[in-house]
């Protein structure tokens, strides 16, 4: 989902499932309403598994206007859901 504010800021949010692997994951914004036109400032991730609500175990590897990459916690299992919020313009 995407929310665009009058001042140009954009917030994207959704849930991503790791599938069968828990290696470094890439989430494409094109799957969540399209890329950011300019830049992505921040991404917050929340693991919905047994560590629900704890973001300290998730490492954001990189972010761009089109995607972000993260490393799930080592205690994650395959087919786990992660919620994300990305802010940009």
């Amino acid at each position: 989902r995407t929310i665009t504010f009058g001042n140009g800021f954009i917030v994207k949010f959704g849930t991503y499932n790791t599938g069968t692997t828990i290696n470094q994951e890439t989430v494409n914004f094109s799957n969540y309403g399209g890329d950011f036109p300019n830049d992505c400032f921040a991404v917050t991730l929340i693991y919905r598994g047994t560590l629900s609500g704890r973001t300290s175990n998730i490492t954001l590897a990189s972010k761009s206007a089109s995607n972000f990459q993260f490393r799930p916690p080592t205690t994650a299992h395959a087919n786990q859901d992660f919620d994300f919020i990305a802010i940009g313009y």
Side-chain angles (χ1 to χ4, degrees):
R1 297 182 183 187
T2 300
I3 299 172
T4 302
F5 294 90
N7 62 2
F9 280 104
I10 300 169
V11 176
K12 295 183 179 293
F13 56 96
T15 299
Y16 177 78
N17 184 281
T18 59
T20 58
T21 64
I22 57 167
N23 297 318
Q24 183 164 303
E25 302 285 333
T26 299
V27 176
N28 294 306
F29 293 128
S30 60
N31 296 330
Y32 297 91
D35 297 346
F36 285 97
N38 297 295
D39 195 11
C40 176
F41 294 129
V43 176
T44 299
L45 295 153
I46 300 170
Y47 177 46
R48 295 176 71 191
T50 57
L51 300 174
S52 182
R54 292 179 55 191
T55 58
S56 60
N57 294 299
I58 302 170
T59 302
L60 185 65
S62 66
K63 61 180 175 52
S64 71
S66 61
N67 66 54
F68 66 90
Q69 295 181 344
F70 71 99
R71 294 181 189 92
T74 56
T75 53
H77 303 287
N79 294 309
Q80 292 294 303
D81 290 332
F82 290 79
D83 292 329
F84 74 87
I85 299 171
I87 302 170
Y89 74 103

